[in-house]
Amino acid sequence: MNGSNQSEQACQAFVDWLDRRVVAAGRGDGLDRLEVAPSGTFWLGRLACEEEVQKAAGDERSERLDPCAIGIRLRPSSPPSWSMSVIVRARGWVKDSKDGPDPDKRWWRTGLVEEKVPVSVGGNGGSFGSAQLAAAFAAVGAPGLTAEVRVEVEDWHQQTELVVQLVNTSPQKGVTDSHLYETELEISGLATVPFQLESLPDSFRYDRAVPAYGVNVGVDEVAPGVFRSTDTVSVQTRRPDYWDRTYPKPDLKFSVLAHDPLPQLAKLVDALAQYDDTHWAPAALDVRHDAEGWTDAMRAEADASAQAVFAELDRLRTGLALLESTPALLRAFQLMNEAIGDSTRDKYPDWRPFQIGFLLSSVRFLVEPAEEAAYVDTVWFATGGGKTETYLGLLLTAAFYDRLTGKTVGVTAWSRFPLRLLSLQQTQRFADALASAEIVRQDHKVGGAPFSLGFLVGQAGTPNKIVPTATAKDDEVTPESPGVPDKYQVLLRCPFCRDENLDMRFNRQRWMLEHCCKNENCRYANRALPVYVVDQEVYRFLPTVVVGTLDKAASISLQQAMRGLVGPPRGSCSEAWHGFTYADRARTPNGCLVPNCQGSLMGLPIDETRFAPTLRLQDELHLLRDSLGAVDAHYESLLDHLQHETSGSRAKIVASSATLTGYERQVDVLYQREGRVFPQPGPRAGESFWTVPTAQPLRRFVAVAPRGVTLEHVSDRTLDTLQRCIRELIDDPARVCAEAGVDPKDAEMLVSQYGTNVVYGSTLYDVEAAGRSLGSNNTVEGINVEQLTGQTEFDEVRAILERLEKPEKDFTDRVHVVAASSMLSHGVDVERLNTMVMLGLPLTTAEFIQTTARVGRSQPGLVYVLHKIGRERDAQTFRHFGPYVRQGDRFVDPIPITRRSRRVLDLTIAGAVAARTLMLREPASKQRLSTPEKLRVYLNALGLTPQEEADAVAAVFGLDGAEDSLHQQQILDWLKDWFADLEDPTLKTNFMSEIGPTPPMRSLRDVEATAPIHD
């Protein structure tokens, strides 16, 4: 057994032990006595008495919160009557008098009641075993506790269903505690047929059969025809293998593809063709159609999928042919592989086949950009499968191709993330890849400016600009502002040498905020790294890749220097390190963005049509929904329009998504383009040419429906138990390792891998409450809690990530619990995070998929999903939790999005008019149009009318059809007011943004508080 397999087996055994301990804490297993009432302590296996539940509100929701019954729902295979054997297991808790044997712990746990109740029932149902169970409870020391097996027959369904329940019929008064504990129900001897999962349609890929459903519990079929209730629902997923070993695997090492890629790429394409013919040819589908009894709809679905699969194969063949026939593309591909190989630092030596498959299917956009711009290519692969590296491969190929074909400066790719706070780890990965590409560029003497990275997130993260102290206004950042420059450190380490000793400096001569490496042996020792984190520096230097948040696109309507992200700047400054210039303004009279610059305007170093971005990358496409998606749809169209008008081209758009559900419509609404996805799903769930399942554990999902106590109590006790287990492992490794069945030499590794827990909340309130509650309610001393949310300061995020990736030597000093919001679920990759407690089911299945993928990335993970069982959606998901996890993407709702929301249009008209003025009219006018007076004179001379501009804006937004007459009138009415303001001699503003009924949005996020989504 090799070391990695042994480590994985130790981790899986330890996860088993942790789960047993958490379930025991929830049920009371192994405890003999308690100081406090068990009804306020335990959350699993307990049943309130029926009388108490009936006296309460009496609705279904309240019954789920503290039920009096558990049950199993079955479909008998024959008509009545039916016979079965039902085994009931339960305990009670009894309170001694004050002078009992243990005055400090007066509550004691009874022996186990385990009774087999024979059941024979007709069409009217019935109750069974009451006297038998009452006698059994009395025999273990709990007289007065009673229960019965109750069978209800529901014959109004398509097929008759039996609900077999254990009901607590104990009296509410007359016993010290009327609850039953550690309850379990087991049914055998009844012939049944499976249910068909109602919430999902038939599909040729999936099995919808469900043997039984639980009522307030989960159900395991422990043997054929034997059904047993479970207090939690546990689902084990398996780690995939990224190659089907049926086919000879091509050598996809970075070093091989950097030297001689074509033979290996041909092997990959040939293997894919063979697989597709085997599994997707009409004859293969005919065999499955007959064997599996497909319906006509299932066959039609399979035929459509086969057509998409073979179209994908054709794209790979096209990509391979282009590499063979286009020397510049082949060289760019080879240089990219050398760079990625250097960037990984031997962490892994080769590509996963799907990554190379995507690159092959996509590279056509570099050679035939106009045709490929009509499509949005979406990478759809399990989180943790390597989507970011795939992005980087495509991005570096494009960057090298740009350099090799004459684009020696300017933005190759603008990569945008939908969250408010861009992940520093994502940014570091981009920086590492670009640094390696720059080393390769220098070594191979590829011309052009150094490859560089821009960080464009807005004032909440890094400064829009840095101004001289003497002229600073309000909250503008100056070189002397508190925390400058250190608070704006974005990189976690030097991307060239990976040394963590970075120095932040403000270079007054160049007027730049610089990351500098202090390692004397680094290629960039003691000089500024090619990374720009101030907005104006991004505009001045137009880095090769710009990463940023989605909402920053709103600046296209506010900042004329944003023109460099859609087209050519005005020119270059004659002063060294001042960079590109833009329109004249009061503070920048010569167009240079460096304060007090005395330089002169120079021409551009390349053809102005080459400045536009080659690529726009959109991460987490599924998050562009509702009002945010509607606003972004307008701004995406605006970006396309501006780029086409300034450069005659459109950027290629590549995206990633956690779901395929409804992606075609989403892409059409967002980008007015056709959507394509890679890779196409395989012929069966969980397997395709690109991935096959293995026996290796990935994550164990444990669904918990707390009973009788608050969700916060369960969260606290779960985390408390997990932390107690780790401390026991530290204090007594021999005993714990023996209990868990692992080698004691693995103890230190297990402490590292499972010593930090994540508690995840969908809202900021949940996250903050979890942190406070754990700090005050835990029984384990010294639990260190840190928060990671969109509100966490930049430098604090960096410090927390550093502590997580390189934990303190002493366990007591480490971060033990991370309370996190959605920030965690996008781009935060810490291999030590392997346990999670989820506070309620997230609002969307896509969020559930993304969030839980942050644990168990390299070792077996453990995820507790605490359902807010009073909510109908949580209750339904708990009922079919197994299929929910295994077929997660099928439970994702189609993305709700429209570009025809009139409330959203109210917010975006101003941005389109302002952007067209700044980016198109002002450069064309050869003069400043920064004040209403100057703009009025120019537009009057131009003869522009409200109707002409309204028609142009409607066309930009794709609202120029016959069905859009109301939107067109809305735009015209707005522009009539805008022109009226412009002509008003009493107008008292010098700012363009104050003309018209509404100002341009300052952030795309502004919509979230102001505009509900509707057509």
Side-chain angles (χ1 to χ4, degrees):
M1 182 185 303
N2 63 40
S4 61
N5 287 339
Q6 182 176 336
S7 172
E8 182 179 88
Q9 290 187 10
C11 288
Q12 184 60 26
F14 192 67
V15 164
D16 292 342
W17 181 75
L18 287 175
D19 192 26
R20 292 196 299 271
R21 288 289 298 269
V22 171
V23 171
R27 286 169 48 93
D29 296 354
L31 292 176
D32 294 322
R33 285 190 169 269
L34 281 177
E35 299 177 16
V36 295
S39 60
T41 303
F42 304 130
W43 62 91
L44 295 176
R46 55 183 277 170
L47 287 181
C49 70
E50 188 174 29
E51 179 183 353
E52 180 181 359
V53 172
Q54 289 176 342
K55 286 181 179 179
D59 62 351
E60 189 175 340
R61 176 182 180 276
S62 63
E63 289 186 25
R64 291 198 299 263
L65 292 173
D66 199 10
C68 63
I70 61 171
I72 298 175
R73 180 180 291 271
L74 299 160
R75 275 188 176 167
S77 61
S78 62
S81 58
W82 305 284
S83 296
M84 68 194 84
S85 176
V86 179
I87 297 176
V88 172
R89 300 181 180 93
R91 295 181 190 266
W93 278 83
V94 180
K95 188 177 183 181
D96 284 336
S97 61
K98 293 183 178 179
D99 56 356
D102 191 342
D104 293 330
K105 294 183 178 180
R106 294 169 57 191
W107 288 95
W108 60 275
R109 175 174 171 249
T110 73
L112 177 67
V113 167
E114 183 171 7
E115 294 290 319
K116 180 181 287 189
V117 179
V119 172
S120 294
V121 64
N124 294 322
S127 299
F128 307 87
S130 178
Q132 178 183 349
L133 291 170
F137 279 113
V140 297
L145 292 182
T146 61
E148 67 182 27
V149 174
R150 191 176 297 170
V151 180
E152 296 177 358
V153 181
E154 299 182 357
D155 55 8
W156 58 87
H157 303 285
Q158 193 172 20
Q159 292 179 255
T160 299
E161 298 178 9
L162 301 183
V163 183
V164 183
Q165 300 179 84
L166 169 64
V167 184
N168 181 0
T169 57
S170 304
Q172 187 173 6
K173 297 180 180 179
V175 292
T176 53
D177 186 346
S178 61
H179 288 81
L180 303 182
Y181 294 92
E182 300 177 47
T183 57
E184 187 175 272
L185 192 64
E186 184 177 306
I187 302 170
S188 60
L190 177 69
T192 63
V193 295
F195 295 85
Q196 294 298 306
L197 196 61
E198 308 99 322
S199 54
L200 298 179
D202 275 330
S203 171
F204 73 98
R205 288 189 176 98
Y206 297 92
D207 182 4
R208 294 170 60 219
V210 179
Y213 282 115
V215 178
N216 298 318
V217 288
V219 181
D220 279 345
E221 189 172 9
V222 295
V226 181
F227 302 94
R228 182 183 298 161
S229 67
T230 59
D231 293 310
T232 61
V233 183
S234 184
V235 183
Q236 181 67 58
T237 60
R238 302 292 172 181
R239 203 171 295 277
D241 194 352
Y242 295 97
W243 184 255
D244 185 339
R245 300 178 190 277
T246 307
Y247 305 94
K249 187 177 181 181
D251 189 345
L252 301 181
K253 291 187 183 70
F254 305 122
S255 57
V256 171
L257 298 185
H259 174 65
D260 186 17
L262 295 178
Q264 302 305 320
L265 299 179
K267 287 181 183 178
L268 177 67
V269 174
D270 289 344
L272 177 60
Q274 185 180 348
Y275 179 94
D276 289 348
D277 285 338
T278 300
H279 294 274
W280 290 103
L285 297 183
D286 288 343
V287 171
R288 286 190 61 192
H289 184 155
D290 296 337
E292 299 171 21
W294 287 355
T295 63
D296 290 344
M298 293 166 70
R299 180 54 190 259
E301 179 195 5
D303 287 339
S305 296
Q307 185 176 358
V309 163
F310 285 110
E312 177 181 272
L313 174 60
D314 287 342
R315 292 200 299 277
L316 267 75
R317 286 171 167 158
T318 298
L320 177 58
L322 288 171
L323 285 170
E324 291 170 339
S325 62
T326 314
L329 182 63
L330 178 61
R331 190 175 183 213
F333 183 82
Q334 291 173 294
L335 294 173
M336 173 275 293
N337 275 282
E338 185 175 341
I340 293 293
D342 178 78
S343 176
T344 65
R345 294 296 198 269
D346 297 323
K347 186 177 180 181
Y348 47 90
D350 56 5
W351 293 101
R352 288 172 175 167
F354 96 88
Q355 296 172 315
I356 283 294
F358 178 72
L359 294 178
L360 273 180
S361 73
S362 304
V363 293
R364 178 174 178 247
F365 82 90
L366 292 169
V367 182
E368 300 170 0
E371 292 82 355
E372 281 294 299
Y375 300 95
V376 173
D377 285 317
T378 300
V379 186
W380 179 74
F381 215 74
T383 299
K387 288 194 296 287
T388 299
E389 289 75 12
T390 310
Y391 266 171
L392 293 173
L394 188 66
L395 184 153
L396 294 189
T397 303
F400 278 116
Y401 188 79
D402 276 353
R403 289 290 190 270
L404 293 169
T405 57
K407 183 173 179 176
T408 56
V409 295
V411 177
T412 287
W414 184 5
S415 182
R416 294 174 304 151
F417 298 78
L419 298 184
R420 298 174 192 272
L421 184 61
L422 178 61
S423 161
L424 294 181
Q425 288 183 310
Q426 285 277 45
T427 304
Q428 185 68 53
R429 283 196 286 271
F430 275 74
D432 290 347
L434 282 164
S436 293
E438 173 57 14
I439 292 171
V440 171
R441 187 194 70 82
Q442 292 179 15
D443 290 349
H444 287 266
K445 297 180 171 51
V446 177
F451 288 138
S452 54
L453 178 70
F455 189 75
L456 192 67
V457 299
Q459 201 164 357
T462 53
N464 293 334
K465 57 186 175 182
I466 296 180
V467 301
T469 304
T471 59
K473 299 177 182 178
D474 301 326
D475 59 348
E476 289 183 330
V477 178
T478 74
E480 286 77 30
S481 291
V484 175
D486 292 339
K487 69 181 293 186
Y488 296 121
Q489 181 179 332
V490 167
L491 298 182
L492 305 172
R493 59 180 179 267
C494 173
F496 288 91
C497 69
R498 308 298 166 91
D499 195 299
E500 295 179 2
N501 292 310
L502 292 179
D503 189 25
M504 293 299 296
R505 305 172 188 169
F506 184 73
N507 187 324
R508 290 177 180 273
Q509 181 180 1
R510 296 177 178 177
W511 207 256
M512 290 171 57
L513 189 63
E514 299 176 341
H515 288 68
C516 299
C517 181
K518 297 164 69 175
N519 178 6
E520 294 295 336
N521 297 318
C522 179
R523 179 180 296 237
Y524 265 79
N526 295 310
R527 57 191 178 113
L529 299 173
V531 176
Y532 307 102
V533 301
V534 179
D535 290 4
Q536 284 199 346
E537 291 179 22
V538 172
Y539 309 145
R540 285 165 54 193
F541 299 107
L542 297 180
T544 315
V545 177
V546 177
V547 296
T549 49
L550 180 82
D551 52 309
K552 194 64 179 178
S555 296
I556 202 76
S557 308
L558 305 168
Q559 172 58 261
Q560 208 274 336
M562 279 282 285
R563 194 174 197 263
L565 294 182
V566 293
R570 179 185 178 190
S572 304
C573 182
S574 60
E575 295 291 318
W577 289 97
H578 283 203
F580 294 110
T581 62
Y582 297 89
D584 299 349
R585 292 292 183 262
R587 284 191 173 185
T588 58
N590 63 351
C592 178
L593 299 178
V594 176
N596 305 314
C597 172
Q598 302 300 312
S600 57
L601 181 65
M602 299 174 62
L604 296 173
I606 60 172
D607 186 326
E608 64 179 22
T609 62
R610 294 299 305 272
F611 273 94
T614 307
L615 272 170
R616 288 212 307 270
L617 300 176
Q618 179 58 62
D619 199 44
E620 316 292 8
L621 183 68
H622 57 278
L623 295 183
L624 301 188
R625 51 182 290 143
D626 300 314
S627 53
L628 177 62
V631 167
D632 185 58
H634 288 189
Y635 273 83
E636 296 294 340
S637 297
L638 181 57
L639 293 173
D640 278 347
H641 167 69
L642 297 174
Q643 178 164 334
H644 185 268
E645 291 297 312
T646 58
S647 305
S649 65
R650 287 197 300 170
K652 171 68 176 180
I653 296 176
V654 174
S656 73
S657 182
T659 175
L660 291 184
T661 308
Y663 84 95
E664 298 99 331
R665 180 178 181 276
Q666 184 192 17
V667 164
D668 178 58
V669 170
L670 278 172
Y671 305 112
Q672 301 184 91
R673 309 183 194 201
E674 185 177 341
R676 296 189 306 213
V677 67
F678 185 94
Q680 287 293 317
R684 289 182 173 83
E687 64 178 75
S688 71
F689 174 76
W690 308 103
T691 179
V692 291
T694 71
Q696 295 176 285
L698 178 58
R699 295 178 191 93
R700 175 179 298 181
F701 294 85
V702 183
V704 179
R707 302 182 198 167
V709 296
T710 66
L711 196 77
E712 290 75 18
H713 173 86
V714 179
S715 172
D716 290 346
R717 295 280 71 77
T718 301
L719 291 165
D720 193 72
T721 301
L722 291 171
Q723 284 297 313
R724 181 175 296 281
C725 287
I726 293 297
R727 285 157 171 77
E728 289 179 13
L729 177 61
I730 294 171
D731 295 339
D732 193 355
R735 176 186 64 81
V736 170
C737 288
E739 287 182 13
V742 299
D743 192 317
K745 70 181 182 183
D746 291 318
E748 184 177 350
M749 178 272 294
L750 294 171
V751 169
S752 177
Q753 294 296 321
Y754 297 95
T756 300
N757 316 125
V758 176
V759 56
Y760 181 87
S762 297
T763 68
L764 185 61
Y765 173 83
D766 284 344
V767 175
E768 292 177 341
R772 290 193 303 268
S773 180
L774 184 63
S776 58
N777 294 332
N778 52 289
T779 64
V780 174
E781 295 295 327
I783 297 180
N784 301 325
V785 183
E786 295 287 357
Q787 287 190 16
L788 279 177
T789 73
Q791 307 298 316
T792 310
E793 293 290 336
F794 233 52
D795 50 351
E796 191 175 353
V797 171
R798 187 172 60 248
I800 293 170
L801 290 176
E802 186 174 345
R803 291 180 66 194
L804 291 174
E805 291 189 316
K806 297 189 176 179
E808 293 84 350
K809 186 174 182 180
D810 189 335
F811 180 80
T812 60
D813 297 329
R814 296 179 184 177
V815 177
H816 301 135
V817 174
V818 178
S821 68
S822 58
M823 174 195 169
L824 177 84
S825 52
H826 306 282
V828 174
D829 298 330
V830 179
E831 292 189 353
R832 291 183 56 251
L833 299 182
N834 291 304
T835 53
M836 174 180 284
V837 176
M838 183 170 273
L839 301 175
L841 203 66
L843 295 177
T844 68
T845 304
E847 183 182 351
F848 176 83
I849 294 170
Q850 287 291 101
T851 300
T852 56
R854 295 301 145 188
V855 298
R857 296 177 77 83
S858 62
Q859 299 292 355
L862 179 60
V863 180
Y864 289 98
V865 185
L866 310 186
H867 286 62
K868 295 181 178 179
I869 204 64
R871 299 193 310 198
E872 189 61 34
R873 177 172 175 267
D874 283 52
Q876 288 299 319
T877 303
F878 183 81
R879 183 172 181 252
H880 47 63
F881 189 70
Y884 181 79
V885 171
R886 296 188 185 98
Q887 303 180 30
D889 190 64
R890 302 187 76 208
F891 287 85
V892 176
D893 293 327
I895 304 296
I897 186 172
T898 178
R899 65 169 49 239
R900 288 184 162 79
S901 167
R902 297 185 65 196
R903 288 289 303 276
V904 165
L905 184 59
D906 272 340
L907 298 173
T908 57
I909 297 171
V913 173
R916 281 170 48 79
T917 300
L918 285 172
M919 304 296 163
L920 304 179
R921 292 211 168 88
E922 185 169 22
S925 73
K926 308 295 185 183
Q927 58 181 297
R928 283 174 61 180
L929 299 181
S930 56
T931 65
E933 179 181 0
K934 292 179 178 179
L935 181 60
R936 177 175 62 250
V937 171
Y938 175 72
L939 293 185
N940 284 338
L942 198 63
L944 185 70
T945 67
Q947 185 66 63
E948 290 172 330
E949 184 65 4
D951 291 344
V953 171
V956 168
F957 288 159
L959 299 173
D960 50 352
E963 70 276 17
D964 300 312
S965 57
L966 291 177
H967 302 85
Q968 293 160 17
Q969 187 61 49
Q970 181 179 345
I971 296 169
L972 179 59
D973 291 344
W974 192 96
L975 275 158
K976 285 179 178 178
D977 289 343
W978 187 80
F979 272 87
D981 280 357
L982 202 60
E983 296 291 341
D984 185 354
T986 65
L987 189 69
K988 299 184 183 302
T989 181
N990 288 321
F991 299 101
M992 295 286 302
S993 61
E994 295 179 3
I995 307 172
T998 54
M1001 299 175 71
R1002 303 193 69 82
S1003 165
L1004 300 196
R1005 292 280 179 183
D1006 292 347
V1007 68
E1008 294 180 332
T1010 60
I1013 184 81
H1014 61 81
D1015 285 331

